[in-house]
Amino acid sequence: MIILGVDTPFAFTPVYVKKQLLNSRAIVQGVWVPHSTSLIHERGAFDSKRLEWEMGIVKEINQTKNMFVSYLNSYMQHHLRIEYGVSEKKLIPLLNGIYIPGVPYFTQEEISRTIREFNIPTDKPIIFSFGRGATYKGFDVFLQALRYLDDLPVHFILQVAFFSTKDPLLRKLKELSKQVKNISVIFKLSYEFPRKILQWENTELVAVLSQNEPGAFIPAEIRIYGQAIALVSDRDGLPCQVNEGNDGFITSINSPREVADKIRYIFQLSHKRKQEIRKTGKQRIIMEYDIVKNFVNGILNLLGKTL
């Protein structure tokens, strides 16, 4: 029997089930599958109860036979071992990925219609960023960087979805966007819109400038289409997903100017060089970020362990 406790609220489930079945003949293997921790997402403002809960499950797993902690990338592997004290032999890979057969595709005509609906020019290169309305996503840095790129012959798009129209970050982004020329700002939840932009023939670059991000899917979602080039921040779980200059780029987010300089550099690369990066990026996602293959490999790895 394999029990997966996915994310923090269910972390103790595998250990609890194992203890309930101590007197049975069942062989129980359990895994806590953390997608993040309080030491990442709540950096500087820790929830002591959550942290105590997480440290508690690590202690139990380290001391309990056939209990493990999975990691979704090399950053999380290091984080769980160094900052939480998970025993090296108790760590197993259950690597991040996307369901490749389920990736949505749209025709260029369908995408063009959507772009025109938002009054976005169809004849200009696109530089794009998108995601949930949260401070750690770095959309303020993106907008501040664009002020240094007014001379580029491109159109910028920012799509951010908020839970509340009263969110202070929404007001801040609206004000910052007023200082940027050639930009479309869309504060609307849409699953289809970003996927269309990611595969639009004129999309040049997509920026993922988050911090406190253990293993976002967006770098994989960008590159699977082989169109846009991914630019990620140098923080936490993002840089381990990109080989600088090979399948994407990494930028410091210490200042908007640094981000702007990196965007300009990428935009000015030759068409041939961009095509090489796009092709390599897509190949990497197919080879390394297939969630079905990664999950099967993780379970097989688990079945081979008895610790």
Side-chain angles (χ1 to χ4, degrees):
M1 180 187 297
I2 296 175
I3 309 293
L4 303 180
V6 179
D7 238 339
T8 301
F10 304 99
F12 271 92
T13 304
V15 172
Y16 174 79
V17 172
K18 183 175 179 64
K19 288 182 176 180
Q20 295 302 306
L21 297 175
L22 275 179
N23 296 323
S24 77
R25 299 176 64 183
I27 298 174
V28 179
Q29 288 182 298
V31 186
W32 173 35
V33 185
H35 293 158
S36 184
T37 69
S38 58
L39 290 182
I40 297 175
H41 266 155
E42 297 165 13
R43 194 168 293 155
F46 303 121
D47 181 329
S48 59
K49 289 185 178 180
R50 175 179 174 178
L51 183 57
E52 183 180 355
W53 177 263
E54 292 170 341
M55 290 296 188
I57 187 57
V58 168
K59 182 179 179 180
E60 288 279 354
I61 287 173
N62 280 341
Q63 297 174 351
T64 306
K65 184 178 179 180
N66 286 337
M67 292 290 112
F68 303 91
V69 181
S70 72
Y71 57 88
L72 53 83
N73 56 34
S74 59
Y75 166 75
M76 282 295 286
Q77 180 184 20
H78 181 268
H79 168 71
L80 290 164
R81 183 170 58 86
I82 300 301
E83 299 190 61
Y84 276 83
V86 180
S87 169
E88 182 71 41
K89 65 183 181 181
K90 290 289 188 173
L91 283 164
I92 66 166
L94 197 59
L95 302 180
N96 212 352
I98 58 176
Y99 181 54
I100 293 176
V103 171
Y105 285 89
F106 303 92
T107 67
Q108 293 299 302
E109 183 180 347
E110 289 173 319
I111 301 170
S112 178
R113 282 200 299 269
T114 297
I115 287 175
R116 289 196 298 269
E117 287 172 6
F118 285 94
N119 296 315
I120 297 169
T122 58
D123 60 345
K124 287 188 174 182
I126 297 296
I127 293 175
F128 181 41
S129 190
F130 72 100
R132 180 167 57 86
T135 302
Y136 76 90
K137 294 292 188 179
F139 298 124
D140 53 343
V141 177
F142 178 69
L143 289 172
Q144 291 164 354
L146 300 188
R147 290 183 297 180
Y148 297 101
L149 301 170
D150 282 348
D151 60 309
L152 291 186
V154 303
H155 192 79
F156 305 109
I157 305 176
L158 174 64
Q159 183 207 6
V160 187
F162 284 90
F163 293 114
S164 170
T165 56
K166 297 180 180 179
D167 192 312
L169 179 61
L170 174 58
R171 293 195 296 273
K172 180 180 181 179
L173 296 183
K174 284 183 177 179
E175 288 302 312
L176 288 173
S177 68
K178 293 176 183 177
Q179 303 171 33
V180 180
K181 297 178 182 178
N182 303 324
I183 189 168
S184 297
V185 182
I186 301 165
F187 296 117
K188 178 182 178 181
L189 177 63
S190 170
Y191 175 82
E192 280 194 0
F193 181 82
R195 275 84 195 164
K196 287 180 176 179
I197 300 300
L198 293 181
Q199 57 192 289
W200 173 233
E201 60 189 4
N202 288 337
T203 302
E204 290 273 331
L205 178 152
V206 180
V208 186
L209 305 180
S210 308
Q211 54 185 327
N212 304 356
E213 190 81 83
F217 291 109
I218 293 179
E221 292 177 319
I222 294 168
R223 290 174 289 174
I224 190 60
Y225 292 113
Q227 174 56 46
I229 293 174
L231 173 65
V232 305
S233 82
D234 61 352
R235 304 293 175 87
D236 304 307
L238 288 173
C240 69
Q241 298 186 52
V242 172
N243 291 324
E244 168 71 13
N246 184 40
D247 55 52
F249 290 88
I250 303 167
T251 181
S252 166
I253 54 173
N254 289 330
S255 76
R257 188 58 183 259
E258 289 179 88
V259 176
D261 289 346
K262 201 58 174 279
I263 291 175
R264 184 183 298 277
Y265 169 79
I266 297 167
F267 180 75
Q268 293 178 340
L269 291 172
S270 69
H271 176 73
K272 180 182 178 181
R273 185 75 186 96
K274 290 177 183 177
Q275 288 295 88
E276 291 170 350
I277 294 167
R278 290 163 176 153
K279 181 179 179 180
T280 304
K282 182 173 183 176
Q283 289 174 337
R284 183 179 183 188
I285 302 309
I286 292 170
M287 295 300 296
E288 299 181 23
Y289 287 84
D290 181 335
I291 191 61
V292 175
K293 182 174 69 176
N294 290 351
F295 184 80
V296 170
N297 289 341
I299 296 300
L300 292 175
N301 186 288
L302 174 63
L303 291 173
K305 289 182 176 289
T306 53
L307 295 171

